[in-house]
Amino acid sequence: MREPLRRAALPAFLLALPIGPAAAQEVAWTFEYDSPIHGTQAPLALHDTPDGGVLSVFAGARTGGGQEFVAVKFSAIGDRDWGYEGPLEQGAPDSFWLTSRTDSAVDADGNLYLVSGTPQGGRLIKVDAAGQEAWRTLLPHGAPNTTFHPEFVAIDGAGFPVVAGTTTEGTLPHVTLVRVDPAGAILWRERSEVGGVHDFHVGPNGELVVFGQTDVEPWQHFGLVQAFGPDGTSLWRFQPGSDGTGTLGFGTFWFDAVVQGAIDPSGRVYGMLEGVYGAFGAEVPGFEIVAYDPGGAQSYSARTDVLGETVSAAAFAVDDAGRVAVVGRGAVSTGGGQRSFTVWHVDAGGSVAFRPDGRVIVRGQRVATPAYVEAEFLPDGTEVSASLHTLDEATEMAFDGRGNLFRQTRVTFSNTRIEKLVDGGPVGAAYCGPAAANSTGFGARLRAIGSSAASDDNITVVAELLPSSTFVLFLASQGQGSVPGAGGGQGTLCLGGAIGRYVGPQQIRRATTGGFASLQIDLDEMPSPTGFVQATSGSTWNLQAWYRDANPGPTSNLTDAVSILLQ
């Protein structure tokens, strides 16, 4: 049994981000979506998919008018598998301060669910794993004189989508949950005691947890967390600071809300409470992490207490062991006004995520530069690296099962970049170089990145300095050799013995216009002339890439080679 987390030992570390060396990760592939019909792109989400790929979702404003959901699915090796564009309908007119937002979720089969508002209520769209719209269903406002603003969608334990949104009745709102079956039929609709929803998650036992606030008056609200069973039955609720006595240690709260939430695999629920506290006329914002066991009893709370400074949390994340990481932002009042609060080097748009091995990645805006900072930390909070990126706007992150990072960044208003960065550095040793020069005037190079541990199964080979858009065939062998002019071409074959070729689906690659091609290697299926072979610890594998060229007439050439001893 894991030792319970205690108030005295804050399981979160507040992250200082001095700019240091680059992270130990290298780009496997990059794709930039620059659509001529979408004058403005607003990235919404980045989802890892069951096949090791990634799904990018953003809203696109068409140059001729109107908005669309745009989803682009990429394979693990960077191929654009499919794209989807569907109308993003306008939500109902705002009621008080509320407005519909858009959200998305992916189920275990790779189906994508998109939710947004319409004048008639919410709209839920299902896009199947092949990129085809399966259905769209209306989530109506409900009772007369009410307005439903959908805000979140999540997949419950049975694989059904559940939408959480805010319904307004007069001036005070409440949260509504709507469960829909895979065919698009509404199964049930339940009202939460939460007045406004800020986050929504599904727990390991199918429990539906809403994080938000309960509104006493339009100008006064308190944080509230409420859990529901898969059938919509209320399981428990917790309302910290609801009596204004400051139950979380801040002193008197004037207002607060649980603005973000998370659930770990044990079912423990975590919320990030933000509020304004202190004596009247001397109020100070602050935030606190609260945790509840699966039955709703409070496990612990841990808070920031930086006197004289206005501090708020931009984002937080929880790993499978229940450790919490927080990235924050704020400002300090000076004689001339406000200045950036630089302890976290984040002014806005912060995001934080745990890698599968417990390391932490942080991204956030620095408005004054303008730029964003990206940093990585060990599980104990020790900084590994940090770097500053100018011009680009930090957005979403996702990880595949091997710990590789997918990163989505808005480069310009009409351009979104998606990248895959392999976890780890160079692997193996280059040999048989330099390669024969190709039509670019240089010899193409091959390198391997990732991990040499066979158990990690995380190696990507990258060929560089290739002719633009040429076809590339990767080769593998446990032996080495030297055959100049192999196949009647201009290069030297550096492999020997039984040579296997990567000729499976999507494995014959095409170089980018910049002469770049990569392939993720599956150590359980190394090719050989007689079938697949498993690469095990202690074995050595040699890799090379063969490609077409016109130099000056039609020919072929080869990169140098890399030899990898698996640990």
PDB file of all heavy atoms in Angstrom, residues 251-280:
ATOM      1  N   GLY A 251      -7.152  31.601   5.360  1.00  0.00           N
ATOM      2  CA  GLY A 251      -7.922  32.660   6.001  1.00  0.00           C
ATOM      3  C   GLY A 251      -9.244  32.748   5.257  1.00  0.00           C
ATOM      4  O   GLY A 251      -9.639  31.851   4.545  1.00  0.00           O
ATOM      5  N   THR A 252      -9.951  33.836   5.431  1.00  0.00           N
ATOM      6  CA  THR A 252     -11.270  33.961   4.826  1.00  0.00           C
ATOM      7  C   THR A 252     -11.181  34.042   3.310  1.00  0.00           C
ATOM      8  O   THR A 252     -10.480  34.875   2.770  1.00  0.00           O
ATOM      9  CB  THR A 252     -11.978  35.203   5.361  1.00  0.00           C
ATOM     10  OG1 THR A 252     -12.103  35.080   6.773  1.00  0.00           O
ATOM     11  CG2 THR A 252     -13.361  35.339   4.751  1.00  0.00           C
ATOM     12  N   PHE A 253     -11.914  33.156   2.641  1.00  0.00           N
ATOM     13  CA  PHE A 253     -12.022  33.199   1.189  1.00  0.00           C
ATOM     14  C   PHE A 253     -13.155  34.143   0.798  1.00  0.00           C
ATOM     15  O   PHE A 253     -14.261  34.051   1.323  1.00  0.00           O
ATOM     16  CB  PHE A 253     -12.343  31.812   0.621  1.00  0.00           C
ATOM     17  CG  PHE A 253     -11.145  31.006   0.251  1.00  0.00           C
ATOM     18  CD1 PHE A 253     -10.709  30.000   1.084  1.00  0.00           C
ATOM     19  CD2 PHE A 253     -10.458  31.271  -0.908  1.00  0.00           C
ATOM     20  CE1 PHE A 253      -9.615  29.242   0.743  1.00  0.00           C
ATOM     21  CE2 PHE A 253      -9.359  30.509  -1.255  1.00  0.00           C
ATOM     22  CZ  PHE A 253      -8.939  29.498  -0.431  1.00  0.00           C
ATOM     23  N   TRP A 254     -12.881  35.021  -0.156  1.00  0.00           N
ATOM     24  CA  TRP A 254     -13.957  35.854  -0.707  1.00  0.00           C
ATOM     25  C   TRP A 254     -14.637  35.125  -1.855  1.00  0.00           C
ATOM     26  O   TRP A 254     -15.828  35.226  -2.049  1.00  0.00           O
ATOM     27  CB  TRP A 254     -13.389  37.185  -1.163  1.00  0.00           C
ATOM     28  CG  TRP A 254     -12.858  37.974  -0.015  1.00  0.00           C
ATOM     29  CD1 TRP A 254     -11.551  38.140   0.342  1.00  0.00           C
ATOM     30  CD2 TRP A 254     -13.618  38.663   0.981  1.00  0.00           C
ATOM     31  NE1 TRP A 254     -11.447  38.892   1.483  1.00  0.00           N
ATOM     32  CE2 TRP A 254     -12.707  39.229   1.898  1.00  0.00           C
ATOM     33  CE3 TRP A 254     -14.987  38.842   1.196  1.00  0.00           C
ATOM     34  CZ2 TRP A 254     -13.103  39.970   2.995  1.00  0.00           C
ATOM     35  CZ3 TRP A 254     -15.385  39.585   2.288  1.00  0.00           C
ATOM     36  CH2 TRP A 254     -14.455  40.129   3.173  1.00  0.00           C
ATOM     37  N   PHE A 255     -13.864  34.401  -2.636  1.00  0.00           N
ATOM     38  CA  PHE A 255     -14.425  33.481  -3.616  1.00  0.00           C
ATOM     39  C   PHE A 255     -13.328  32.519  -4.042  1.00  0.00           C
ATOM     40  O   PHE A 255     -12.137  32.806  -3.907  1.00  0.00           O
ATOM     41  CB  PHE A 255     -15.016  34.204  -4.832  1.00  0.00           C
ATOM     42  CG  PHE A 255     -14.020  34.975  -5.648  1.00  0.00           C
ATOM     43  CD1 PHE A 255     -13.296  34.357  -6.654  1.00  0.00           C
ATOM     44  CD2 PHE A 255     -13.812  36.334  -5.425  1.00  0.00           C
ATOM     45  CE1 PHE A 255     -12.389  35.065  -7.427  1.00  0.00           C
ATOM     46  CE2 PHE A 255     -12.904  37.048  -6.189  1.00  0.00           C
ATOM     47  CZ  PHE A 255     -12.196  36.414  -7.184  1.00  0.00           C
ATOM     48  N   ASP A 256     -13.704  31.361  -4.522  1.00  0.00           N
ATOM     49  CA  ASP A 256     -12.731  30.398  -5.006  1.00  0.00           C
ATOM     50  C   ASP A 256     -13.429  29.431  -5.954  1.00  0.00           C
ATOM     51  O   ASP A 256     -14.659  29.393  -6.032  1.00  0.00           O
ATOM     52  CB  ASP A 256     -12.047  29.644  -3.861  1.00  0.00           C
ATOM     53  CG  ASP A 256     -13.037  28.947  -2.944  1.00  0.00           C
ATOM     54  OD1 ASP A 256     -13.737  28.040  -3.414  1.00  0.00           O
ATOM     55  OD2 ASP A 256     -13.118  29.317  -1.755  1.00  0.00           O
ATOM     56  N   ALA A 257     -12.632  28.638  -6.656  1.00  0.00           N
ATOM     57  CA  ALA A 257     -13.149  27.637  -7.580  1.00  0.00           C
ATOM     58  C   ALA A 257     -12.095  26.564  -7.769  1.00  0.00           C
ATOM     59  O   ALA A 257     -10.892  26.840  -7.718  1.00  0.00           O
ATOM     60  CB  ALA A 257     -13.516  28.270  -8.922  1.00  0.00           C
ATOM     61  N   VAL A 258     -12.550  25.334  -7.971  1.00  0.00           N
ATOM     62  CA  VAL A 258     -11.638  24.252  -8.337  1.00  0.00           C
ATOM     63  C   VAL A 258     -11.500  24.300  -9.854  1.00  0.00           C
ATOM     64  O   VAL A 258     -12.392  23.881 -10.586  1.00  0.00           O
ATOM     65  CB  VAL A 258     -12.169  22.889  -7.861  1.00  0.00           C
ATOM     66  CG1 VAL A 258     -11.183  21.780  -8.239  1.00  0.00           C
ATOM     67  CG2 VAL A 258     -12.393  22.898  -6.352  1.00  0.00           C
ATOM     68  N   VAL A 259     -10.382  24.858 -10.326  1.00  0.00           N
ATOM     69  CA  VAL A 259     -10.260  25.215 -11.737  1.00  0.00           C
ATOM     70  C   VAL A 259      -9.683  24.102 -12.604  1.00  0.00           C
ATOM     71  O   VAL A 259      -9.817  24.135 -13.824  1.00  0.00           O
ATOM     72  CB  VAL A 259      -9.422  26.497 -11.897  1.00  0.00           C
ATOM     73  CG1 VAL A 259     -10.116  27.679 -11.242  1.00  0.00           C
ATOM     74  CG2 VAL A 259      -8.027  26.312 -11.320  1.00  0.00           C
ATOM     75  N   GLN A 260      -9.007  23.120 -11.993  1.00  0.00           N
ATOM     76  CA  GLN A 260      -8.503  21.976 -12.753  1.00  0.00           C
ATOM     77  C   GLN A 260      -8.588  20.744 -11.882  1.00  0.00           C
ATOM     78  O   GLN A 260      -8.582  20.833 -10.645  1.00  0.00           O
ATOM     79  CB  GLN A 260      -7.051  22.194 -13.201  1.00  0.00           C
ATOM     80  CG  GLN A 260      -6.878  23.273 -14.249  1.00  0.00           C
ATOM     81  CD  GLN A 260      -5.447  23.332 -14.754  1.00  0.00           C
ATOM     82  OE1 GLN A 260      -4.869  22.328 -15.134  1.00  0.00           O
ATOM     83  NE2 GLN A 260      -4.881  24.521 -14.764  1.00  0.00           N
ATOM     84  N   GLY A 261      -8.644  19.585 -12.507  1.00  0.00           N
ATOM     85  CA  GLY A 261      -8.731  18.351 -11.759  1.00  0.00           C
ATOM     86  C   GLY A 261      -7.970  17.228 -12.419  1.00  0.00           C
ATOM     87  O   GLY A 261      -7.556  17.321 -13.584  1.00  0.00           O
ATOM     88  N   ALA A 262      -7.769  16.142 -11.672  1.00  0.00           N
ATOM     89  CA  ALA A 262      -7.103  14.952 -12.195  1.00  0.00           C
ATOM     90  C   ALA A 262      -7.488  13.777 -11.314  1.00  0.00           C
ATOM     91  O   ALA A 262      -7.912  13.945 -10.168  1.00  0.00           O
ATOM     92  CB  ALA A 262      -5.586  15.130 -12.214  1.00  0.00           C
ATOM     93  N   ILE A 263      -7.348  12.555 -11.840  1.00  0.00           N
ATOM     94  CA  ILE A 263      -7.628  11.331 -11.107  1.00  0.00           C
ATOM     95  C   ILE A 263      -6.495  10.354 -11.388  1.00  0.00           C
ATOM     96  O   ILE A 263      -6.122  10.143 -12.550  1.00  0.00           O
ATOM     97  CB  ILE A 263      -8.971  10.714 -11.535  1.00  0.00           C
ATOM     98  CG1 ILE A 263     -10.103  11.744 -11.424  1.00  0.00           C
ATOM     99  CG2 ILE A 263      -9.293   9.489 -10.675  1.00  0.00           C
ATOM    100  CD1 ILE A 263     -11.431  11.249 -11.956  1.00  0.00           C
ATOM    101  N   ASP A 264      -5.914   9.754 -10.330  1.00  0.00           N
ATOM    102  CA  ASP A 264      -4.845   8.787 -10.567  1.00  0.00           C
ATOM    103  C   ASP A 264      -5.431   7.374 -10.688  1.00  0.00           C
ATOM    104  O   ASP A 264      -6.635   7.163 -10.494  1.00  0.00           O
ATOM    105  CB  ASP A 264      -3.760   8.897  -9.491  1.00  0.00           C
ATOM    106  CG  ASP A 264      -4.187   8.368  -8.119  1.00  0.00           C
ATOM    107  OD1 ASP A 264      -5.160   7.604  -8.038  1.00  0.00           O
ATOM    108  OD2 ASP A 264      -3.525   8.723  -7.124  1.00  0.00           O
ATOM    109  N   PRO A 265      -4.620   6.362 -11.047  1.00  0.00           N
ATOM    110  CA  PRO A 265      -5.156   5.014 -11.288  1.00  0.00           C
ATOM    111  C   PRO A 265      -5.817   4.375 -10.076  1.00  0.00           C
ATOM    112  O   PRO A 265      -6.612   3.444 -10.225  1.00  0.00           O
ATOM    113  CB  PRO A 265      -3.913   4.221 -11.722  1.00  0.00           C
ATOM    114  CG  PRO A 265      -2.996   5.249 -12.311  1.00  0.00           C
ATOM    115  CD  PRO A 265      -3.208   6.469 -11.468  1.00  0.00           C
ATOM    116  N   SER A 266      -5.493   4.836  -8.854  1.00  0.00           N
ATOM    117  CA  SER A 266      -6.133   4.281  -7.661  1.00  0.00           C
ATOM    118  C   SER A 266      -7.524   4.855  -7.432  1.00  0.00           C
ATOM    119  O   SER A 266      -8.255   4.384  -6.560  1.00  0.00           O
ATOM    120  CB  SER A 266      -5.262   4.560  -6.427  1.00  0.00           C
ATOM    121  OG  SER A 266      -5.333   5.937  -6.054  1.00  0.00           O
ATOM    122  N   GLY A 267      -7.898   5.886  -8.182  1.00  0.00           N
ATOM    123  CA  GLY A 267      -9.175   6.547  -7.997  1.00  0.00           C
ATOM    124  C   GLY A 267      -9.118   7.779  -7.127  1.00  0.00           C
ATOM    125  O   GLY A 267     -10.133   8.438  -6.905  1.00  0.00           O
ATOM    126  N   ARG A 268      -7.927   8.123  -6.614  1.00  0.00           N
ATOM    127  CA  ARG A 268      -7.795   9.352  -5.828  1.00  0.00           C
ATOM    128  C   ARG A 268      -8.012  10.555  -6.735  1.00  0.00           C
ATOM    129  O   ARG A 268      -7.522  10.593  -7.863  1.00  0.00           O
ATOM    130  CB  ARG A 268      -6.428   9.433  -5.158  1.00  0.00           C
ATOM    131  CG  ARG A 268      -6.183  10.728  -4.418  1.00  0.00           C
ATOM    132  CD  ARG A 268      -4.873  10.707  -3.661  1.00  0.00           C
ATOM    133  NE  ARG A 268      -4.998   9.953  -2.421  1.00  0.00           N
ATOM    134  CZ  ARG A 268      -3.956   9.642  -1.652  1.00  0.00           C
ATOM    135  NH1 ARG A 268      -2.747   9.994  -2.012  1.00  0.00           N
ATOM    136  NH2 ARG A 268      -4.144   8.970  -0.533  1.00  0.00           N
ATOM    137  N   VAL A 269      -8.748  11.525  -6.230  1.00  0.00           N
ATOM    138  CA  VAL A 269      -9.137  12.707  -6.989  1.00  0.00           C
ATOM    139  C   VAL A 269      -8.345  13.910  -6.511  1.00  0.00           C
ATOM    140  O   VAL A 269      -8.186  14.124  -5.300  1.00  0.00           O
ATOM    141  CB  VAL A 269     -10.652  12.969  -6.829  1.00  0.00           C
ATOM    142  CG1 VAL A 269     -11.060  14.256  -7.524  1.00  0.00           C
ATOM    143  CG2 VAL A 269     -11.446  11.784  -7.372  1.00  0.00           C
ATOM    144  N   TYR A 270      -7.852  14.706  -7.453  1.00  0.00           N
ATOM    145  CA  TYR A 270      -7.049  15.888  -7.137  1.00  0.00           C
ATOM    146  C   TYR A 270      -7.706  17.114  -7.774  1.00  0.00           C
ATOM    147  O   TYR A 270      -8.158  17.062  -8.915  1.00  0.00           O
ATOM    148  CB  TYR A 270      -5.631  15.754  -7.694  1.00  0.00           C
ATOM    149  CG  TYR A 270      -4.893  14.534  -7.211  1.00  0.00           C
ATOM    150  CD1 TYR A 270      -5.140  13.283  -7.780  1.00  0.00           C
ATOM    151  CD2 TYR A 270      -3.949  14.615  -6.194  1.00  0.00           C
ATOM    152  CE1 TYR A 270      -4.477  12.153  -7.340  1.00  0.00           C
ATOM    153  CE2 TYR A 270      -3.267  13.491  -5.755  1.00  0.00           C
ATOM    154  CZ  TYR A 270      -3.531  12.266  -6.328  1.00  0.00           C
ATOM    155  OH  TYR A 270      -2.868  11.140  -5.891  1.00  0.00           O
ATOM    156  N   GLY A 271      -7.725  18.201  -7.036  1.00  0.00           N
ATOM    157  CA  GLY A 271      -8.259  19.443  -7.569  1.00  0.00           C
ATOM    158  C   GLY A 271      -7.320  20.604  -7.271  1.00  0.00           C
ATOM    159  O   GLY A 271      -6.621  20.620  -6.254  1.00  0.00           O
ATOM    160  N   MET A 272      -7.287  21.566  -8.165  1.00  0.00           N
ATOM    161  CA  MET A 272      -6.501  22.779  -7.948  1.00  0.00           C
ATOM    162  C   MET A 272      -7.469  23.913  -7.645  1.00  0.00           C
ATOM    163  O   MET A 272      -8.241  24.331  -8.503  1.00  0.00           O
ATOM    164  CB  MET A 272      -5.646  23.113  -9.168  1.00  0.00           C
ATOM    165  CG  MET A 272      -4.729  24.303  -8.943  1.00  0.00           C
ATOM    166  SD  MET A 272      -3.416  24.396 -10.179  1.00  0.00           S
ATOM    167  CE  MET A 272      -4.363  24.828 -11.627  1.00  0.00           C
ATOM    168  N   LEU A 273      -7.439  24.383  -6.414  1.00  0.00           N
ATOM    169  CA  LEU A 273      -8.343  25.417  -5.937  1.00  0.00           C
ATOM    170  C   LEU A 273      -7.672  26.774  -6.064  1.00  0.00           C
ATOM    171  O   LEU A 273      -6.562  26.980  -5.561  1.00  0.00           O
ATOM    172  CB  LEU A 273      -8.707  25.152  -4.472  1.00  0.00           C
ATOM    173  CG  LEU A 273      -9.692  26.117  -3.820  1.00  0.00           C
ATOM    174  CD1 LEU A 273     -11.117  25.785  -4.248  1.00  0.00           C
ATOM    175  CD2 LEU A 273      -9.572  26.057  -2.296  1.00  0.00           C
ATOM    176  N   GLU A 274      -8.311  27.687  -6.766  1.00  0.00           N
ATOM    177  CA  GLU A 274      -7.841  29.063  -6.854  1.00  0.00           C
ATOM    178  C   GLU A 274      -8.856  29.961  -6.170  1.00  0.00           C
ATOM    179  O   GLU A 274     -10.066  29.735  -6.271  1.00  0.00           O
ATOM    180  CB  GLU A 274      -7.661  29.505  -8.313  1.00  0.00           C
ATOM    181  CG  GLU A 274      -6.418  28.975  -8.966  1.00  0.00           C
ATOM    182  CD  GLU A 274      -6.109  29.674 -10.280  1.00  0.00           C
ATOM    183  OE1 GLU A 274      -6.955  30.459 -10.743  1.00  0.00           O
ATOM    184  OE2 GLU A 274      -5.035  29.431 -10.831  1.00  0.00           O
ATOM    185  N   GLY A 275      -8.352  30.996  -5.491  1.00  0.00           N
ATOM    186  CA  GLY A 275      -9.273  31.901  -4.830  1.00  0.00           C
ATOM    187  C   GLY A 275      -8.620  33.190  -4.410  1.00  0.00           C
ATOM    188  O   GLY A 275      -7.430  33.421  -4.633  1.00  0.00           O
ATOM    189  N   VAL A 276      -9.416  34.036  -3.818  1.00  0.00           N
ATOM    190  CA  VAL A 276      -8.950  35.301  -3.258  1.00  0.00           C
ATOM    191  C   VAL A 276      -9.216  35.253  -1.761  1.00  0.00           C
ATOM    192  O   VAL A 276     -10.327  34.933  -1.324  1.00  0.00           O
ATOM    193  CB  VAL A 276      -9.674  36.502  -3.900  1.00  0.00           C
ATOM    194  CG1 VAL A 276      -9.287  37.794  -3.201  1.00  0.00           C
ATOM    195  CG2 VAL A 276      -9.343  36.579  -5.385  1.00  0.00           C
ATOM    196  N   TYR A 277      -8.204  35.544  -0.971  1.00  0.00           N
ATOM    197  CA  TYR A 277      -8.328  35.424   0.466  1.00  0.00           C
ATOM    198  C   TYR A 277      -7.687  36.635   1.135  1.00  0.00           C
ATOM    199  O   TYR A 277      -7.040  37.462   0.498  1.00  0.00           O
ATOM    200  CB  TYR A 277      -7.672  34.128   0.959  1.00  0.00           C
ATOM    201  CG  TYR A 277      -6.172  34.084   0.770  1.00  0.00           C
ATOM    202  CD1 TYR A 277      -5.309  34.353   1.823  1.00  0.00           C
ATOM    203  CD2 TYR A 277      -5.612  33.767  -0.466  1.00  0.00           C
ATOM    204  CE1 TYR A 277      -3.940  34.315   1.654  1.00  0.00           C
ATOM    205  CE2 TYR A 277      -4.250  33.728  -0.655  1.00  0.00           C
ATOM    206  CZ  TYR A 277      -3.409  34.003   0.417  1.00  0.00           C
ATOM    207  OH  TYR A 277      -2.057  33.968   0.237  1.00  0.00           O
ATOM    208  N   GLY A 278      -7.854  36.694   2.463  1.00  0.00           N
ATOM    209  CA  GLY A 278      -7.263  37.781   3.225  1.00  0.00           C
ATOM    210  C   GLY A 278      -8.307  38.763   3.716  1.00  0.00           C
ATOM    211  O   GLY A 278      -9.496  38.662   3.410  1.00  0.00           O
ATOM    212  N   ALA A 279      -7.858  39.734   4.487  1.00  0.00           N
ATOM    213  CA  ALA A 279      -8.750  40.742   5.053  1.00  0.00           C
ATOM    214  C   ALA A 279      -9.306  41.651   3.962  1.00  0.00           C
ATOM    215  O   ALA A 279      -8.674  41.858   2.925  1.00  0.00           O
ATOM    216  CB  ALA A 279      -8.007  41.577   6.094  1.00  0.00           C
ATOM    217  N   PHE A 280     -10.491  42.174   4.209  1.00  0.00           N
ATOM    218  CA  PHE A 280     -11.126  43.061   3.234  1.00  0.00           C
ATOM    219  C   PHE A 280     -10.219  44.258   2.960  1.00  0.00           C
ATOM    220  O   PHE A 280      -9.708  44.912   3.873  1.00  0.00           O
ATOM    221  CB  PHE A 280     -12.477  43.545   3.778  1.00  0.00           C
ATOM    222  CG  PHE A 280     -13.224  44.404   2.798  1.00  0.00           C
ATOM    223  CD1 PHE A 280     -13.867  43.834   1.710  1.00  0.00           C
ATOM    224  CD2 PHE A 280     -13.254  45.782   2.960  1.00  0.00           C
ATOM    225  CE1 PHE A 280     -14.541  44.622   0.800  1.00  0.00           C
ATOM    226  CE2 PHE A 280     -13.936  46.580   2.048  1.00  0.00           C
ATOM    227  CZ  PHE A 280     -14.588  45.995   0.966  1.00  0.00           C
TER     228      PHE A 280
END
